[in-house]
Amino acid sequence: MIERRPFSTLGGADHGWLNAKHHFSFAGYHDPRRMGWGALRVWNDDTIAPGTGFPPHPHADMEIITYVREGAITHRDNLGNEGRTEAGDVQVMSAGSGITHSEYNLEPGTTRIFQIWIIPDEHGRPPSWGAKPFPRGDRAGRFVTLASGFQEDTDALPLRTNARVLGATLKAGESTTYALADGRHGYLVPASGKVEVNGVSLDARDGAAIRNEPALRVTALEDAELVLVDAAA
């Protein structure tokens, strides 16, 4: 089963400095049919104006993955962590027992991110934050694990949940595959470009909610950058 969720149908709000689109219910957008997908709870498509951002605010008991599509985001938190994550790179915040952080676009141009929240397997653990570069060229023609709760994914940023976040870049006409284990929930979004997933066409920033598809074959109809979450039910 692959359910296409066109970008035009997503909820969201335009705050001037922030234009946010929500694949799932979030903040003022509520759709009882879109409360999450397995353990995946939030997928926000955020466009942040230069010199603006999210002032300090708290989180707890959530795995929060930020995938930077364009520009850069600067993170600061009450643990003393500070870092600038550039386009193509990833940061992970395990909110655990509680963390307060800010995220700002300190760049001269627009920043665009996907922010993905996944429910952790355990609550109340000490909070943490980390970031890592993932050059787009290293993902050419294949999915690469960017963040993971599986011990074997040693090159990925760690998650405290039974999930993977993966990225791929495909040239027009290229295909790649991904095996989705029985009972798992997949959610795929092209950050750019048009693709087909097992014959279902997706435009840039559309979502595809996937289950009961043991093998995903993704074919780029034009140059494309992809993000995929493989989460527990």
Side-chain angles (χ1 to χ4, degrees), residues 8-206:
S8 61
T9 70
L10 302 182
D14 189 345
H15 303 281
W17 66 273
L18 169 68
N19 189 351
K21 293 293 186 180
H22 310 311
H23 285 262
F24 304 103
S25 295
F26 185 84
Y29 165 62
H30 179 78
D31 183 341
R33 300 167 300 173
R34 295 186 180 181
M35 295 302 298
W37 190 245
L40 173 61
R41 178 61 188 85
V42 168
W43 192 310
N44 289 344
D45 181 327
D46 291 339
T47 300
I48 306 167
T52 70
F54 302 92
H57 59 282
H59 292 281
D61 290 325
M62 193 65 68
E63 300 297 289
I64 299 176
I65 302 99
T66 303
Y67 180 96
V68 182
R69 295 158 45 215
E70 181 181 330
I73 200 79
T74 296
H75 163 102
R76 296 185 180 94
D77 63 44
N78 64 328
L79 303 180
N81 296 309
E82 182 173 339
R84 176 179 176 274
T85 305
E86 298 181 351
D89 299 341
V90 179
Q91 65 176 15
V92 170
M93 186 172 71
S94 294
S97 58
I99 190 170
T100 297
H101 80 134
S102 64
E103 288 180 297
Y104 284 101
N105 172 16
L106 302 180
E107 312 304 313
T110 299
T111 286
R112 292 181 171 86
I113 64 172
F114 288 149
Q115 191 165 91
I116 297 163
W117 297 15
I118 306 175
I119 299 168
D121 293 339
E122 299 178 53
H123 290 184
R125 294 181 61 187
S128 69
W129 175 86
K132 186 173 180 179
F134 288 95
R136 288 183 169 109
D138 292 351
R139 295 176 257 151
R142 65 190 181 109
F143 279 109
V144 169
T145 304
L146 309 174
S148 174
F150 295 92
Q151 289 186 347
E152 61 265 32
D153 294 329
T154 55
D155 292 334
L157 286 162
L159 293 175
R160 299 172 180 175
T161 184
N162 183 14
R164 286 187 176 98
V165 179
L166 307 107
T169 59
L170 299 177
K171 294 291 187 183
E174 284 188 324
S175 296
T176 190
T177 59
Y178 182 77
L180 193 66
D182 187 45
R184 305 286 293 178
H185 284 56
Y187 200 87
L188 185 145
V189 180
S192 62
K194 185 173 182 176
V195 302
E196 279 188 356
V197 185
N198 290 6
V200 176
S201 180
L202 300 175
D203 292 323
R205 302 163 78 187
D206 289 352

Side-chain angles (χ1 to χ4, degrees), residues 1-5 24 37 186-188 207-211:
M1 191 282 297
I2 300 178
E3 179 193 344
R4 177 182 175 235
R5 297 180 175 179
F24 304 103
W37 190 245
Y187 200 87
L188 185 145
I210 306 163
R211 64 182 177 184

